[in-house]
Structures are given as C-alpha cells and as structure tokens.
Amino acid sequence: MKTLHKVIMLGALACAAASCESPSTRTSQSAQMRPATITGARRIANVRTTAYTHTERGGRHNAIGTRLAGASVMSAAADWSRFPLGTRFQIVGTSDRYVIDDYGGALIGTNTIDLYKTSRSAMRAWGVRHVDIDIIEWGSKEQSLKVLGPRKRNRLIRRMIASLEQRT
C-alpha cells in the first residue's frame, strides 16, 4: 500500500511540475516573440474578419478623413454600433493591433471587422478568417454619433445611428 501511495504522490508531483513549466520553454522561438495577453482586456472569441485596401472604392482615407494606417496600429472598419469609433484591439496570438477608424456599408448589422491591408496581395492572402480579439480600449459612442450625424441621409448610416442611440 505504501508503494502505491508513493507512486501516486510522485505522479501528482510530476504533473504539478509540468504544469508550472514556463510556456516559453515549451514553444518555438516565433511563439516566444508573441506578446502576452493584455491585462484587463476583454476577449471576444470567433470574430469574423475580412480585409480591404486603399485601391478599393473608399480610397486612402478613413471615415474621419485621415489616411488609412498600415504601420504599428492599423486601421480597421466595422459597424460602429458594435465596435464604436476609436475601439482598439489586438488579434490574439499576434502583435497585430488595430483601431476602428472606418466603417463600410456591408459591415452594418454584422459582427464583421474589416482589417486594412497595405496591398491587394495582402488583402487576398488574409481572405476571411475567424479570430479571437482582445479589446484594449472601447471607442466612443458619442464620437461615433458626432461623425455619423451629418451623414444621416444614407439609410445604412441611419441604421447605425439608430442602433447607437438605443445603446446610449
């Protein structure tokens, strides 16, 4: 009986030691370079993402009139009633960070986020993916309404405004 007890204890200690092992000692070098989970972030699982680029209909500028960003924090488009203007997020498992600074008619009423890519080949390579995202900072519903207000002649914009006003 004492031998069985020792075997069980050794097994439990081995499992405990393995679970305490640092993830960086068990993963590849590229995985080690990934950032840690953002503290205090809200994770949203299985978000549908697509991609767009400046050669498409909207051109090089986002909805607030500035150039689309493709550097350290990249532009993204979404339904502002779901992801308000200024929402910052990171795709889990990558260092890719985005800010919602654009919208698109096809996105209104969906949970899809359109990620800005700097070339058509990068846009095509992305395709459609379902990813987990960490919200770093929620944007402003008030700022979203301020930008959308003058554009309310468009029925899709009115739909986004109505949804934002219900949530305010």
Side-chain angles (χ1 to χ4, degrees):
M1 187 66 150
K2 286 185 178 187
T3 304
L4 179 60
H5 189 270
K6 286 180 184 178
V7 170
I8 291 172
M9 289 301 289
L10 285 173
L13 285 172
C15 287
S19 68
C20 292
E21 182 181 10
S22 160
S24 62
T25 61
R26 292 183 286 155
T27 57
S28 68
Q29 184 177 359
S30 64
Q32 289 177 26
M33 296 171 65
R34 291 183 188 147
T37 302
I38 301 160
T39 306
R42 175 174 175 228
R43 180 154 299 171
I44 301 176
N46 201 32
V47 175
R48 181 178 187 268
T49 61
T50 53
Y52 71 111
T53 192
H54 59 273
T55 60
E56 293 186 308
R57 186 173 171 228
R60 292 190 181 276
H61 292 89
N62 58 30
I64 56 175
T66 60
R67 286 183 67 96
L68 292 165
S72 60
V73 177
M74 297 171 280
S75 292
D79 177 345
W80 289 0
S81 65
R82 297 177 193 268
F83 300 99
L85 172 63
T87 298
R88 295 179 177 277
F89 66 94
Q90 181 170 336
I91 296 176
V92 174
T94 72
S95 59
D96 298 342
R97 290 189 177 207
Y98 292 87
V99 62
I100 302 292
D101 60 7
D102 209 357
Y103 61 81
L107 302 171
I108 298 171
T110 71
N111 282 318
T112 300
I113 297 176
D114 211 3
L115 307 173
Y116 174 68
K117 301 295 180 182
T118 56
S119 69
R120 288 190 82 68
S121 60
M123 177 188 77
R124 282 192 292 271
W126 184 266
V128 176
R129 298 184 192 183
H130 287 80
V131 299
D132 295 347
I133 64 170
D134 284 333
I135 301 294
I136 299 166
E137 177 183 353
W138 283 104
S140 166
K141 293 176 186 177
E142 293 75 23
Q143 284 297 100
S144 299
L145 287 167
K146 186 176 178 180
V147 172
L148 295 172
R151 304 170 189 186
K152 63 184 171 191
R153 281 193 232 154
N154 180 299
R155 71 175 175 80
L156 292 171
I157 301 299
R158 283 194 308 270
R159 187 172 156 195
M160 205 168 17
I161 290 170
S163 186
L164 271 165
E165 288 174 340
Q166 283 179 347
R167 294 171 191 227
T168 303

PDB file of all heavy atoms in Angstrom, residues 125-156:
ATOM      1  N   ALA A 125      -4.525  37.501 -49.407  1.00  0.00           N
ATOM      2  CA  ALA A 125      -3.926  36.469 -48.550  1.00  0.00           C
ATOM      3  C   ALA A 125      -4.698  36.328 -47.238  1.00  0.00           C
ATOM      4  O   ALA A 125      -4.817  35.230 -46.694  1.00  0.00           O
ATOM      5  CB  ALA A 125      -2.464  36.802 -48.267  1.00  0.00           C
ATOM      6  N   TRP A 126      -5.226  37.443 -46.738  1.00  0.00           N
ATOM      7  CA  TRP A 126      -5.998  37.377 -45.490  1.00  0.00           C
ATOM      8  C   TRP A 126      -7.313  36.655 -45.724  1.00  0.00           C
ATOM      9  O   TRP A 126      -7.698  35.788 -44.943  1.00  0.00           O
ATOM     10  CB  TRP A 126      -6.246  38.770 -44.906  1.00  0.00           C
ATOM     11  CG  TRP A 126      -6.949  38.680 -43.590  1.00  0.00           C
ATOM     12  CD1 TRP A 126      -8.294  38.744 -43.358  1.00  0.00           C
ATOM     13  CD2 TRP A 126      -6.349  38.440 -42.322  1.00  0.00           C
ATOM     14  NE1 TRP A 126      -8.565  38.580 -42.026  1.00  0.00           N
ATOM     15  CE2 TRP A 126      -7.384  38.386 -41.361  1.00  0.00           C
ATOM     16  CE3 TRP A 126      -5.030  38.280 -41.890  1.00  0.00           C
ATOM     17  CZ2 TRP A 126      -7.134  38.175 -40.012  1.00  0.00           C
ATOM     18  CZ3 TRP A 126      -4.792  38.076 -40.543  1.00  0.00           C
ATOM     19  CH2 TRP A 126      -5.839  38.015 -39.632  1.00  0.00           C
ATOM     20  N   GLY A 127      -8.010  37.018 -46.777  1.00  0.00           N
ATOM     21  CA  GLY A 127      -9.290  36.381 -47.077  1.00  0.00           C
ATOM     22  C   GLY A 127     -10.311  36.643 -45.989  1.00  0.00           C
ATOM     23  O   GLY A 127     -10.482  37.763 -45.544  1.00  0.00           O
ATOM     24  N   VAL A 128     -10.971  35.586 -45.562  1.00  0.00           N
ATOM     25  CA  VAL A 128     -11.933  35.642 -44.457  1.00  0.00           C
ATOM     26  C   VAL A 128     -11.402  34.717 -43.371  1.00  0.00           C
ATOM     27  O   VAL A 128     -11.119  33.548 -43.634  1.00  0.00           O
ATOM     28  CB  VAL A 128     -13.342  35.186 -44.901  1.00  0.00           C
ATOM     29  CG1 VAL A 128     -14.296  35.158 -43.715  1.00  0.00           C
ATOM     30  CG2 VAL A 128     -13.873  36.070 -46.007  1.00  0.00           C
ATOM     31  N   ARG A 129     -11.262  35.252 -42.188  1.00  0.00           N
ATOM     32  CA  ARG A 129     -10.776  34.446 -41.053  1.00  0.00           C
ATOM     33  C   ARG A 129     -11.627  34.741 -39.825  1.00  0.00           C
ATOM     34  O   ARG A 129     -12.073  35.856 -39.628  1.00  0.00           O
ATOM     35  CB  ARG A 129      -9.327  34.774 -40.707  1.00  0.00           C
ATOM     36  CG  ARG A 129      -8.351  34.490 -41.814  1.00  0.00           C
ATOM     37  CD  ARG A 129      -6.938  34.759 -41.360  1.00  0.00           C
ATOM     38  NE  ARG A 129      -6.035  34.757 -42.497  1.00  0.00           N
ATOM     39  CZ  ARG A 129      -4.733  34.915 -42.407  1.00  0.00           C
ATOM     40  NH1 ARG A 129      -4.172  35.101 -41.227  1.00  0.00           N
ATOM     41  NH2 ARG A 129      -3.981  34.912 -43.480  1.00  0.00           N
ATOM     42  N   HIS A 130     -11.792  33.727 -39.017  1.00  0.00           N
ATOM     43  CA  HIS A 130     -12.437  33.895 -37.710  1.00  0.00           C
ATOM     44  C   HIS A 130     -11.314  33.879 -36.674  1.00  0.00           C
ATOM     45  O   HIS A 130     -10.552  32.915 -36.591  1.00  0.00           O
ATOM     46  CB  HIS A 130     -13.449  32.786 -37.455  1.00  0.00           C
ATOM     47  CG  HIS A 130     -14.683  32.944 -38.281  1.00  0.00           C
ATOM     48  ND1 HIS A 130     -14.749  32.573 -39.600  1.00  0.00           N
ATOM     49  CD2 HIS A 130     -15.885  33.481 -37.989  1.00  0.00           C
ATOM     50  CE1 HIS A 130     -15.944  32.848 -40.084  1.00  0.00           C
ATOM     51  NE2 HIS A 130     -16.659  33.408 -39.122  1.00  0.00           N
ATOM     52  N   VAL A 131     -11.204  34.972 -35.929  1.00  0.00           N
ATOM     53  CA  VAL A 131     -10.118  35.124 -34.965  1.00  0.00           C
ATOM     54  C   VAL A 131     -10.678  35.555 -33.617  1.00  0.00           C
ATOM     55  O   VAL A 131     -11.798  36.050 -33.525  1.00  0.00           O
ATOM     56  CB  VAL A 131      -9.074  36.161 -35.445  1.00  0.00           C
ATOM     57  CG1 VAL A 131      -8.431  35.737 -36.756  1.00  0.00           C
ATOM     58  CG2 VAL A 131      -9.691  37.545 -35.572  1.00  0.00           C
ATOM     59  N   ASP A 132      -9.879  35.374 -32.590  1.00  0.00           N
ATOM     60  CA  ASP A 132     -10.191  35.915 -31.269  1.00  0.00           C
ATOM     61  C   ASP A 132      -9.489  37.259 -31.170  1.00  0.00           C
ATOM     62  O   ASP A 132      -8.354  37.409 -31.642  1.00  0.00           O
ATOM     63  CB  ASP A 132      -9.689  34.993 -30.158  1.00  0.00           C
ATOM     64  CG  ASP A 132     -10.391  33.647 -30.144  1.00  0.00           C
ATOM     65  OD1 ASP A 132     -11.425  33.496 -30.821  1.00  0.00           O
ATOM     66  OD2 ASP A 132      -9.894  32.736 -29.463  1.00  0.00           O
ATOM     67  N   ILE A 133     -10.163  38.226 -30.574  1.00  0.00           N
ATOM     68  CA  ILE A 133      -9.546  39.540 -30.391  1.00  0.00           C
ATOM     69  C   ILE A 133      -9.613  39.942 -28.928  1.00  0.00           C
ATOM     70  O   ILE A 133     -10.511  39.528 -28.196  1.00  0.00           O
ATOM     71  CB  ILE A 133     -10.194  40.638 -31.274  1.00  0.00           C
ATOM     72  CG1 ILE A 133     -11.656  40.874 -30.881  1.00  0.00           C
ATOM     73  CG2 ILE A 133     -10.055  40.307 -32.749  1.00  0.00           C
ATOM     74  CD1 ILE A 133     -12.279  42.109 -31.555  1.00  0.00           C
ATOM     75  N   ASP A 134      -8.644  40.734 -28.517  1.00  0.00           N
ATOM     76  CA  ASP A 134      -8.648  41.353 -27.197  1.00  0.00           C
ATOM     77  C   ASP A 134      -8.928  42.826 -27.389  1.00  0.00           C
ATOM     78  O   ASP A 134      -8.188  43.508 -28.116  1.00  0.00           O
ATOM     79  CB  ASP A 134      -7.293  41.188 -26.490  1.00  0.00           C
ATOM     80  CG  ASP A 134      -7.084  39.791 -25.938  1.00  0.00           C
ATOM     81  OD1 ASP A 134      -8.082  39.114 -25.629  1.00  0.00           O
ATOM     82  OD2 ASP A 134      -5.910  39.383 -25.807  1.00  0.00           O
ATOM     83  N   ILE A 135     -10.006  43.309 -26.775  1.00  0.00           N
ATOM     84  CA  ILE A 135     -10.308  44.733 -26.815  1.00  0.00           C
ATOM     85  C   ILE A 135      -9.371  45.420 -25.830  1.00  0.00           C
ATOM     86  O   ILE A 135      -9.380  45.141 -24.637  1.00  0.00           O
ATOM     87  CB  ILE A 135     -11.785  45.021 -26.440  1.00  0.00           C
ATOM     88  CG1 ILE A 135     -12.745  44.307 -27.400  1.00  0.00           C
ATOM     89  CG2 ILE A 135     -12.038  46.528 -26.393  1.00  0.00           C
ATOM     90  CD1 ILE A 135     -12.713  44.799 -28.829  1.00  0.00           C
ATOM     91  N   ILE A 136      -8.552  46.318 -26.333  1.00  0.00           N
ATOM     92  CA  ILE A 136      -7.617  47.066 -25.493  1.00  0.00           C
ATOM     93  C   ILE A 136      -8.339  48.260 -24.878  1.00  0.00           C
ATOM     94  O   ILE A 136      -8.168  48.562 -23.702  1.00  0.00           O
ATOM     95  CB  ILE A 136      -6.408  47.545 -26.326  1.00  0.00           C
ATOM     96  CG1 ILE A 136      -5.674  46.337 -26.904  1.00  0.00           C
ATOM     97  CG2 ILE A 136      -5.478  48.419 -25.495  1.00  0.00           C
ATOM     98  CD1 ILE A 136      -4.674  46.679 -27.993  1.00  0.00           C
ATOM     99  N   GLU A 137      -9.143  48.922 -25.715  1.00  0.00           N
ATOM    100  CA  GLU A 137      -9.881  50.100 -25.260  1.00  0.00           C
ATOM    101  C   GLU A 137     -11.126  50.246 -26.129  1.00  0.00           C
ATOM    102  O   GLU A 137     -11.046  50.174 -27.356  1.00  0.00           O
ATOM    103  CB  GLU A 137      -8.993  51.344 -25.413  1.00  0.00           C
ATOM    104  CG  GLU A 137      -9.646  52.633 -25.038  1.00  0.00           C
ATOM    105  CD  GLU A 137      -8.728  53.833 -25.288  1.00  0.00           C
ATOM    106  OE1 GLU A 137      -7.550  53.644 -25.618  1.00  0.00           O
ATOM    107  OE2 GLU A 137      -9.227  54.959 -25.154  1.00  0.00           O
ATOM    108  N   TRP A 138     -12.276  50.431 -25.503  1.00  0.00           N
ATOM    109  CA  TRP A 138     -13.508  50.656 -26.254  1.00  0.00           C
ATOM    110  C   TRP A 138     -13.538  52.084 -26.773  1.00  0.00           C
ATOM    111  O   TRP A 138     -13.112  53.010 -26.084  1.00  0.00           O
ATOM    112  CB  TRP A 138     -14.739  50.399 -25.384  1.00  0.00           C
ATOM    113  CG  TRP A 138     -15.008  48.937 -25.222  1.00  0.00           C
ATOM    114  CD1 TRP A 138     -14.745  48.179 -24.130  1.00  0.00           C
ATOM    115  CD2 TRP A 138     -15.564  48.047 -26.198  1.00  0.00           C
ATOM    116  NE1 TRP A 138     -15.109  46.873 -24.363  1.00  0.00           N
ATOM    117  CE2 TRP A 138     -15.611  46.770 -25.619  1.00  0.00           C
ATOM    118  CE3 TRP A 138     -16.020  48.216 -27.506  1.00  0.00           C
ATOM    119  CZ2 TRP A 138     -16.104  45.652 -26.307  1.00  0.00           C
ATOM    120  CZ3 TRP A 138     -16.505  47.098 -28.189  1.00  0.00           C
ATOM    121  CH2 TRP A 138     -16.547  45.841 -27.593  1.00  0.00           C
ATOM    122  N   GLY A 139     -14.043  52.240 -27.961  1.00  0.00           N
ATOM    123  CA  GLY A 139     -14.189  53.555 -28.554  1.00  0.00           C
ATOM    124  C   GLY A 139     -15.367  54.305 -27.950  1.00  0.00           C
ATOM    125  O   GLY A 139     -15.999  53.855 -26.994  1.00  0.00           O
ATOM    126  N   SER A 140     -15.685  55.438 -28.553  1.00  0.00           N
ATOM    127  CA  SER A 140     -16.706  56.330 -28.035  1.00  0.00           C
ATOM    128  C   SER A 140     -17.966  56.313 -28.898  1.00  0.00           C
ATOM    129  O   SER A 140     -17.901  56.626 -30.095  1.00  0.00           O
ATOM    130  CB  SER A 140     -16.139  57.748 -27.977  1.00  0.00           C
ATOM    131  OG  SER A 140     -17.163  58.690 -27.783  1.00  0.00           O
ATOM    132  N   LYS A 141     -19.083  55.993 -28.282  1.00  0.00           N
ATOM    133  CA  LYS A 141     -20.369  56.060 -28.990  1.00  0.00           C
ATOM    134  C   LYS A 141     -20.696  57.501 -29.348  1.00  0.00           C
ATOM    135  O   LYS A 141     -21.224  57.784 -30.413  1.00  0.00           O
ATOM    136  CB  LYS A 141     -21.472  55.453 -28.132  1.00  0.00           C
ATOM    137  CG  LYS A 141     -21.312  53.968 -27.927  1.00  0.00           C
ATOM    138  CD  LYS A 141     -22.357  53.396 -26.999  1.00  0.00           C
ATOM    139  CE  LYS A 141     -22.057  51.943 -26.720  1.00  0.00           C
ATOM    140  NZ  LYS A 141     -22.987  51.358 -25.783  1.00  0.00           N
ATOM    141  N   GLU A 142     -20.329  58.425 -28.450  1.00  0.00           N
ATOM    142  CA  GLU A 142     -20.593  59.841 -28.690  1.00  0.00           C
ATOM    143  C   GLU A 142     -19.812  60.344 -29.900  1.00  0.00           C
ATOM    144  O   GLU A 142     -20.348  61.058 -30.741  1.00  0.00           O
ATOM    145  CB  GLU A 142     -20.243  60.681 -27.445  1.00  0.00           C
ATOM    146  CG  GLU A 142     -21.141  60.431 -26.248  1.00  0.00           C
ATOM    147  CD  GLU A 142     -20.857  59.104 -25.520  1.00  0.00           C
ATOM    148  OE1 GLU A 142     -19.718  58.562 -25.639  1.00  0.00           O
ATOM    149  OE2 GLU A 142     -21.772  58.602 -24.859  1.00  0.00           O
ATOM    150  N   GLN A 143     -18.531  59.975 -29.994  1.00  0.00           N
ATOM    151  CA  GLN A 143     -17.714  60.372 -31.145  1.00  0.00           C
ATOM    152  C   GLN A 143     -18.251  59.738 -32.428  1.00  0.00           C
ATOM    153  O   GLN A 143     -18.268  60.375 -33.476  1.00  0.00           O
ATOM    154  CB  GLN A 143     -16.253  59.988 -30.945  1.00  0.00           C
ATOM    155  CG  GLN A 143     -15.505  60.899 -29.998  1.00  0.00           C
ATOM    156  CD  GLN A 143     -15.438  62.315 -30.531  1.00  0.00           C
ATOM    157  OE1 GLN A 143     -16.207  63.180 -30.115  1.00  0.00           O
ATOM    158  NE2 GLN A 143     -14.529  62.563 -31.433  1.00  0.00           N
ATOM    159  N   SER A 144     -18.705  58.502 -32.318  1.00  0.00           N
ATOM    160  CA  SER A 144     -19.285  57.825 -33.479  1.00  0.00           C
ATOM    161  C   SER A 144     -20.498  58.598 -33.971  1.00  0.00           C
ATOM    162  O   SER A 144     -20.633  58.860 -35.179  1.00  0.00           O
ATOM    163  CB  SER A 144     -19.695  56.388 -33.110  1.00  0.00           C
ATOM    164  OG  SER A 144     -18.582  55.633 -32.698  1.00  0.00           O
ATOM    165  N   LEU A 145     -21.381  58.990 -33.056  1.00  0.00           N
ATOM    166  CA  LEU A 145     -22.587  59.744 -33.431  1.00  0.00           C
ATOM    167  C   LEU A 145     -22.234  61.111 -34.010  1.00  0.00           C
ATOM    168  O   LEU A 145     -22.882  61.573 -34.948  1.00  0.00           O
ATOM    169  CB  LEU A 145     -23.511  59.897 -32.220  1.00  0.00           C
ATOM    170  CG  LEU A 145     -24.246  58.628 -31.792  1.00  0.00           C
ATOM    171  CD1 LEU A 145     -24.878  58.815 -30.415  1.00  0.00           C
ATOM    172  CD2 LEU A 145     -25.286  58.238 -32.826  1.00  0.00           C
ATOM    173  N   LYS A 146     -21.203  61.737 -33.466  1.00  0.00           N
ATOM    174  CA  LYS A 146     -20.771  63.048 -33.952  1.00  0.00           C
ATOM    175  C   LYS A 146     -20.314  62.976 -35.417  1.00  0.00           C
ATOM    176  O   LYS A 146     -20.628  63.847 -36.224  1.00  0.00           O
ATOM    177  CB  LYS A 146     -19.641  63.565 -33.063  1.00  0.00           C
ATOM    178  CG  LYS A 146     -19.185  64.962 -33.358  1.00  0.00           C
ATOM    179  CD  LYS A 146     -18.129  65.376 -32.346  1.00  0.00           C
ATOM    180  CE  LYS A 146     -17.598  66.764 -32.639  1.00  0.00           C
ATOM    181  NZ  LYS A 146     -16.576  67.163 -31.672  1.00  0.00           N
ATOM    182  N   VAL A 147     -19.579  61.921 -35.763  1.00  0.00           N
ATOM    183  CA  VAL A 147     -19.101  61.747 -37.132  1.00  0.00           C
ATOM    184  C   VAL A 147     -20.241  61.325 -38.064  1.00  0.00           C
ATOM    185  O   VAL A 147     -20.342  61.791 -39.200  1.00  0.00           O
ATOM    186  CB  VAL A 147     -17.946  60.718 -37.194  1.00  0.00           C
ATOM    187  CG1 VAL A 147     -17.579  60.377 -38.628  1.00  0.00           C
ATOM    188  CG2 VAL A 147     -16.733  61.239 -36.436  1.00  0.00           C
ATOM    189  N   LEU A 148     -21.124  60.472 -37.568  1.00  0.00           N
ATOM    190  CA  LEU A 148     -22.199  59.940 -38.411  1.00  0.00           C
ATOM    191  C   LEU A 148     -23.346  60.920 -38.627  1.00  0.00           C
ATOM    192  O   LEU A 148     -24.028  60.857 -39.652  1.00  0.00           O
ATOM    193  CB  LEU A 148     -22.748  58.644 -37.797  1.00  0.00           C
ATOM    194  CG  LEU A 148     -21.775  57.471 -37.751  1.00  0.00           C
ATOM    195  CD1 LEU A 148     -22.381  56.328 -36.951  1.00  0.00           C
ATOM    196  CD2 LEU A 148     -21.380  57.027 -39.148  1.00  0.00           C
ATOM    197  N   GLY A 149     -23.588  61.816 -37.674  1.00  0.00           N
ATOM    198  CA  GLY A 149     -24.715  62.747 -37.734  1.00  0.00           C
ATOM    199  C   GLY A 149     -24.882  63.451 -39.069  1.00  0.00           C
ATOM    200  O   GLY A 149     -25.961  63.388 -39.681  1.00  0.00           O
ATOM    201  N   PRO A 150     -23.863  64.111 -39.586  1.00  0.00           N
ATOM    202  CA  PRO A 150     -24.005  64.819 -40.857  1.00  0.00           C
ATOM    203  C   PRO A 150     -24.228  63.901 -42.066  1.00  0.00           C
ATOM    204  O   PRO A 150     -24.573  64.361 -43.141  1.00  0.00           O
ATOM    205  CB  PRO A 150     -22.657  65.550 -41.003  1.00  0.00           C
ATOM    206  CG  PRO A 150     -22.072  65.591 -39.638  1.00  0.00           C
ATOM    207  CD  PRO A 150     -22.592  64.388 -38.930  1.00  0.00           C
ATOM    208  N   ARG A 151     -24.066  62.608 -41.879  1.00  0.00           N
ATOM    209  CA  ARG A 151     -24.191  61.660 -42.991  1.00  0.00           C
ATOM    210  C   ARG A 151     -25.499  60.871 -42.945  1.00  0.00           C
ATOM    211  O   ARG A 151     -25.654  59.866 -43.629  1.00  0.00           O
ATOM    212  CB  ARG A 151     -23.012  60.685 -42.948  1.00  0.00           C
ATOM    213  CG  ARG A 151     -21.690  61.400 -42.971  1.00  0.00           C
ATOM    214  CD  ARG A 151     -20.551  60.473 -42.680  1.00  0.00           C
ATOM    215  NE  ARG A 151     -19.326  61.267 -42.516  1.00  0.00           N
ATOM    216  CZ  ARG A 151     -18.127  60.750 -42.368  1.00  0.00           C
ATOM    217  NH1 ARG A 151     -17.964  59.453 -42.342  1.00  0.00           N
ATOM    218  NH2 ARG A 151     -17.090  61.542 -42.228  1.00  0.00           N
ATOM    219  N   LYS A 152     -26.451  61.326 -42.131  1.00  0.00           N
ATOM    220  CA  LYS A 152     -27.650  60.532 -41.876  1.00  0.00           C
ATOM    221  C   LYS A 152     -28.614  60.431 -43.051  1.00  0.00           C
ATOM    222  O   LYS A 152     -29.629  59.748 -42.953  1.00  0.00           O
ATOM    223  CB  LYS A 152     -28.364  61.020 -40.618  1.00  0.00           C
ATOM    224  CG  LYS A 152     -28.881  62.426 -40.672  1.00  0.00           C
ATOM    225  CD  LYS A 152     -29.464  62.802 -39.331  1.00  0.00           C
ATOM    226  CE  LYS A 152     -29.788  64.276 -39.299  1.00  0.00           C
ATOM    227  NZ  LYS A 152     -30.113  64.706 -37.966  1.00  0.00           N
ATOM    228  N   ARG A 153     -28.307  61.062 -44.168  1.00  0.00           N
ATOM    229  CA  ARG A 153     -29.157  60.877 -45.360  1.00  0.00           C
ATOM    230  C   ARG A 153     -29.068  59.446 -45.897  1.00  0.00           C
ATOM    231  O   ARG A 153     -29.996  58.967 -46.506  1.00  0.00           O
ATOM    232  CB  ARG A 153     -28.755  61.854 -46.459  1.00  0.00           C
ATOM    233  CG  ARG A 153     -29.298  63.236 -46.218  1.00  0.00           C
ATOM    234  CD  ARG A 153     -29.141  64.072 -47.457  1.00  0.00           C
ATOM    235  NE  ARG A 153     -28.465  65.306 -47.080  1.00  0.00           N
ATOM    236  CZ  ARG A 153     -27.743  66.027 -47.879  1.00  0.00           C
ATOM    237  NH1 ARG A 153     -27.572  65.681 -49.127  1.00  0.00           N
ATOM    238  NH2 ARG A 153     -27.175  67.120 -47.442  1.00  0.00           N
ATOM    239  N   ASN A 154     -27.946  58.822 -45.652  1.00  0.00           N
ATOM    240  CA  ASN A 154     -27.742  57.444 -46.103  1.00  0.00           C
ATOM    241  C   ASN A 154     -28.498  56.488 -45.181  1.00  0.00           C
ATOM    242  O   ASN A 154     -28.345  56.540 -43.967  1.00  0.00           O
ATOM    243  CB  ASN A 154     -26.240  57.134 -46.095  1.00  0.00           C
ATOM    244  CG  ASN A 154     -25.909  55.735 -46.540  1.00  0.00           C
ATOM    245  OD1 ASN A 154     -26.330  54.769 -45.916  1.00  0.00           O
ATOM    246  ND2 ASN A 154     -25.146  55.640 -47.605  1.00  0.00           N
ATOM    247  N   ARG A 155     -29.302  55.593 -45.753  1.00  0.00           N
ATOM    248  CA  ARG A 155     -30.132  54.691 -44.935  1.00  0.00           C
ATOM    249  C   ARG A 155     -29.297  53.754 -44.063  1.00  0.00           C
ATOM    250  O   ARG A 155     -29.688  53.431 -42.941  1.00  0.00           O
ATOM    251  CB  ARG A 155     -31.120  53.910 -45.792  1.00  0.00           C
ATOM    252  CG  ARG A 155     -30.506  52.848 -46.652  1.00  0.00           C
ATOM    253  CD  ARG A 155     -31.563  52.024 -47.400  1.00  0.00           C
ATOM    254  NE  ARG A 155     -30.921  51.103 -48.299  1.00  0.00           N
ATOM    255  CZ  ARG A 155     -30.386  49.947 -47.923  1.00  0.00           C
ATOM    256  NH1 ARG A 155     -30.456  49.558 -46.665  1.00  0.00           N
ATOM    257  NH2 ARG A 155     -29.798  49.169 -48.802  1.00  0.00           N
ATOM    258  N   LEU A 156     -28.138  53.311 -44.557  1.00  0.00           N
ATOM    259  CA  LEU A 156     -27.294  52.437 -43.745  1.00  0.00           C
ATOM    260  C   LEU A 156     -26.699  53.194 -42.552  1.00  0.00           C
ATOM    261  O   LEU A 156     -26.597  52.648 -41.455  1.00  0.00           O
ATOM    262  CB  LEU A 156     -26.179  51.829 -44.599  1.00  0.00           C
ATOM    263  CG  LEU A 156     -26.667  50.837 -45.659  1.00  0.00           C
ATOM    264  CD1 LEU A 156     -25.531  50.451 -46.602  1.00  0.00           C
ATOM    265  CD2 LEU A 156     -27.267  49.608 -45.012  1.00  0.00           C
TER     266      LEU A 156
END
